[in-house]
Amino acid sequence: MKTLFIISCICVMSVNPLLSVTGYSQCNVTVTTGLNPRICKFSATIPTVTYAVTGSPNEYMIDWETLNDISWRSLPASPLPIYGIGFNEAVGSYFGKLYVRNTITGCVSQYTTVAFSVCEVPVVSLGPDPIACYGSSTASIQYNSDGLANQYMIDWEDLPDTGWNSIPANSSTLNISNFPSTPESTTAHFGNI
């Protein structure tokens, strides 16, 4: 007589009741940004955007709509450089989705939209050097513009600059109020700000 042995397998899982597992049921990594930057076409400047975060993220990435994406990289202190922009990008606005993540917890934020604008470079030519009478603190600078510049700044060699000022409407003359009484070199900056 043959004896039939039945061998059965039972899977057993032991649980140590003193062991606790910490789970991340909800990610709280977020990012918010400030104003969108503007740069001039052909600018070598890398635009930056200020940001605030929660959840201790340490990396960021940007998923651009029409530019090359920025893969995950270390998150610097604010402001955030907006990489991925070419020297000769077309004039216009560019949009991307900014994500941040915490590589320790694995949490990734919802995206926030980042954008920047590339502006046409204004073309401005100055008239003859202004002449100020001895003792006068004002002078006028003549200029011709293609109409793209809406701000100007006078950068004196030895005096504080004027800061950015609005260009007067329908005028080709800038009246400068802190004109030095002695000859001084200066640079006039024009921008579309």
Side-chain angles (χ1 to χ4, degrees), residues 40-42 91 119-126 142-151 167-168 170-172 190-193:
C40 286
K41 187 172 179 157
F42 307 118
V91 171
C119 303
E120 192 66 61
V121 178
V123 177
V124 177
S125 60
L126 296 178
Q142 302 295 317
Y143 71 95
N144 292 313
S145 171
D146 62 0
L148 292 175
N150 63 3
Q151 300 276 316
I167 291 178
N170 303 318
S171 176
S172 60
F190 291 82
N192 182 345
I193 298 175

Side-chain angles (χ1 to χ4, degrees), residues 13-118:
M13 182 171 85
S14 298
V15 177
N16 182 344
L18 299 177
L19 179 66
S20 65
V21 177
T22 302
Y24 294 98
S25 61
Q26 181 179 13
C27 289
N28 63 350
V29 176
T30 64
V31 60
T32 55
T33 59
L35 297 175
N36 296 324
R38 295 174 61 168
I39 60 170
C40 286
K41 187 172 179 157
F42 307 118
S43 174
T45 301
I46 296 173
T48 60
V49 64
T50 58
Y51 72 90
V53 295
T54 62
S56 303
N58 56 359
E59 288 189 336
Y60 79 101
M61 65 92 61
I62 301 175
D63 179 12
W64 289 112
E65 287 181 4
T66 57
L67 301 172
N68 292 330
D69 292 343
I70 305 302
S71 59
W72 289 107
R73 60 178 62 193
S74 180
L75 181 64
S78 186
L80 180 70
I82 307 295
Y83 294 109
I85 302 159
F87 178 73
N88 192 21
E89 294 297 344
V91 171
S93 295
Y94 296 85
F95 300 91
K97 295 176 180 176
L98 170 65
Y99 297 88
V100 294
R101 74 176 174 188
N102 181 317
T103 57
I104 296 168
T105 64
C107 289
V108 178
S109 70
Q110 296 291 322
Y111 74 84
T112 189
T113 300
V114 290
F116 71 93
S117 297
V118 176

